Amino acid sequence: MLKQERYKAFVEYFSKNNPDAQTELNYSNPYELLVAVILSAQCTDKRINQITPKLFERYPDAYTLAASSVDEVFSYIRSVSYPNNKAKHLVGMAQMLIEKFHNVVPEQIEDLVKLPGVGRKTANVISSVVYHNPAMAVDTHVFRVANRLGLTYRATTPLAVEKQLVKNLPKETIAVAHHWLILHGRYICLARKPLCEKCPITYMCKYFEKTYHIKSAPSAIEIKN
């Protein structure tokens, strides 16, 4: 299967089977999403959703968060990965959000990455989810699944993966394709042992073709045994 055929098959399948894919982080406004995504670095969405209700109750907006101490914020997020750094980032982010951006979560990537704790991946999430821009956030799931499917070629960095996906996906699908790739990686295309026997898209998967030494991938049910 040629690259463009893979992209076409990828978009057709998920457009039909999961057209409204969304983030699994719980939030009610751009500020809450920004906080949640900062916290989610190297941590599961499930864990973040467990701690954010009390966190958002205590800090319902950037003003309350900016006025807090790092130690107090730490007490709410101690169960996430790297809580010390993230507590500092959250307080610093809230302060800059108020002072530099007038309490409005910015839309542009170049503005978002100025905020403490916000890298390119987080910025792309905010840009795509909040502002519906054609931005592709590349986390470990996106990186892995794009490579295994054969959507990317010799892309050894997140930025390289991002550029190839943005170049080849239809513009109107880029934002939702981010979620397609994440969810597929989270529940089917696992890092250590992908569940190929349960995968509905083996027919378009380069990893499957290579692993099972086939030229045309059969359906998932045909490889169960």
Side-chain angles (χ1 to χ4, degrees), residues 23-209:
T23 178
E24 292 186 319
L25 290 170
N26 296 330
Y27 70 98
S28 60
N29 56 57
Y31 156 77
E32 289 187 357
L33 179 62
L34 180 56
V35 169
V37 179
I38 290 174
L39 288 172
S40 71
Q42 298 185 33
C43 197
T44 65
D45 287 0
K46 182 179 180 181
R47 167 60 61 185
I48 302 309
N49 289 336
Q50 289 173 343
I51 70 162
T52 48
K54 289 185 178 179
L55 183 69
F56 293 151
E57 182 180 0
R58 172 63 182 87
Y59 307 113
D61 52 41
Y63 292 102
T64 52
L65 183 56
S68 182
S69 68
V70 171
D71 288 341
E72 184 182 357
V73 174
F74 174 87
S75 70
Y76 284 89
I77 66 169
R78 63 172 68 246
S79 64
V80 307
S81 58
Y82 307 106
N84 287 298
N85 286 338
K86 289 179 180 178
K88 295 176 184 177
H89 289 157
L90 289 179
V91 174
M93 176 277 292
Q95 292 171 346
M96 182 178 289
L97 195 63
I98 293 168
E99 295 168 3
K100 186 175 181 65
F101 298 105
H102 311 290
N103 197 32
V104 177
V105 175
E107 177 178 357
Q108 302 303 318
I109 302 297
E110 56 267 29
D111 290 328
L112 284 161
V113 295
K114 294 175 182 177
L115 295 167
V118 177
R120 187 170 181 86
K121 186 205 78 173
T122 297
N124 277 324
V125 171
I126 300 303
S127 182
S128 63
V129 174
V130 174
Y131 295 105
H132 310 291
N133 290 323
M136 174 58 67
V138 178
D139 67 356
T140 56
H141 294 304
V142 173
F143 190 95
R144 178 178 70 255
V145 175
N147 176 65
R148 282 181 176 169
L149 287 177
L151 298 178
T152 56
Y153 178 70
R154 292 184 178 179
T156 58
T157 66
L159 183 58
V161 170
E162 175 188 335
K163 288 182 176 180
Q164 288 190 28
L165 291 173
V166 169
K167 177 182 178 180
N168 291 288
L169 284 166
K171 186 176 181 179
E172 67 276 10
T173 69
I174 292 173
V176 70
H178 159 71
H179 300 299
W180 291 340
L181 291 163
I182 283 180
L183 295 174
H184 192 68
R186 185 171 291 164
Y187 297 110
I188 299 292
C189 196
L190 308 182
R192 293 186 179 180
K193 188 178 180 181
L195 304 178
C196 294
E197 71 279 5
K198 295 183 178 180
C199 181
I201 57 171
T202 53
Y203 62 92
M204 70 176 79
C205 180
K206 191 171 184 179
Y207 171 86
F208 184 84
E209 291 178 5

